[in-house]
């Protein structure tokens, strides 16, 4: 874990003993969102995994989705499906990482 610079980092974990320098630790998404609100954060980013994305989706008004051009046949974790209440507002620009992996960032807004 490396805290992201220039912002408050909050880790949500079930491990009551978990500690990490540079981040607050909370035991639930509700506690983390409350802490972010109490700190005055205007924007909250949820950075995975699949269970956290599903839990946070009802609170979101914008989604930034990274589409990666890679097939992982034995994958066992997926981002949640989101419904017709979401509108694609920016399809992103195809890009290629330094390792040759294709990707793009999509931006969706709640209609």
């Amino acid at each position: 874990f490396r805290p992201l610079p220039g912002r408050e980092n909050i880790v949500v974990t079930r491990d009551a003993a978990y500690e990490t320098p540079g981040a607050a630790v909370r035991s639930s998404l509700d506690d983390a969102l409350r802490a972010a609100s109490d700190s005055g954060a205007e924007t909250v980013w949820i950075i995975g995994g699949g269970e956290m994305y599903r839990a946070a989706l009802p609170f979101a008004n914008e989604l930034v989705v990274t589409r990666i051009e890679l097939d992982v046949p034995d994958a066992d974790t997926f981002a949640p499906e989101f419904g017709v209440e979401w509108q694609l507002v920016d399809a992103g620009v195809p890009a290629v990482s330094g390792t040759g992996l294709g990707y793009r960032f999509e931006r969706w807004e709640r209609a």
Side-chain angles (χ1 to χ4, degrees):
F1 172 80
R2 275 186 322 212
L4 298 171
R7 66 206 85 184
E8 181 175 5
N9 289 251
I10 302 172
V11 175
V12 178
T13 179
R14 293 182 189 104
D15 181 354
Y18 185 82
E19 294 181 14
T20 187
V25 177
R26 297 293 183 266
S27 61
S28 71
L29 176 61
D30 286 340
D31 287 346
L33 291 174
R34 196 172 307 108
S37 176
D38 290 349
S39 75
E42 293 182 24
T43 302
V44 175
W45 292 83
I46 306 296
I47 307 175
E51 185 177 334
M52 189 60 55
Y53 290 139
R54 273 185 284 290
L57 195 56
F59 301 103
N61 54 25
E62 179 182 25
L63 305 176
V64 178
V65 177
T66 306
R67 299 285 181 191
I68 300 173
E69 296 176 14
L70 179 67
D71 183 32
V72 181
D74 57 347
D76 62 359
T77 302
F78 302 90
E81 297 289 326
F82 46 92
V84 296
E85 70 274 19
W86 293 96
Q87 178 179 19
L88 181 64
V89 295
D90 184 351
V93 176
V96 178
S97 74
T99 62
L101 186 64
Y103 68 94
R104 64 188 160 89
F105 299 112
E106 296 176 347
R107 194 167 67 80
W108 296 74
E109 290 181 353
R110 192 179 294 273

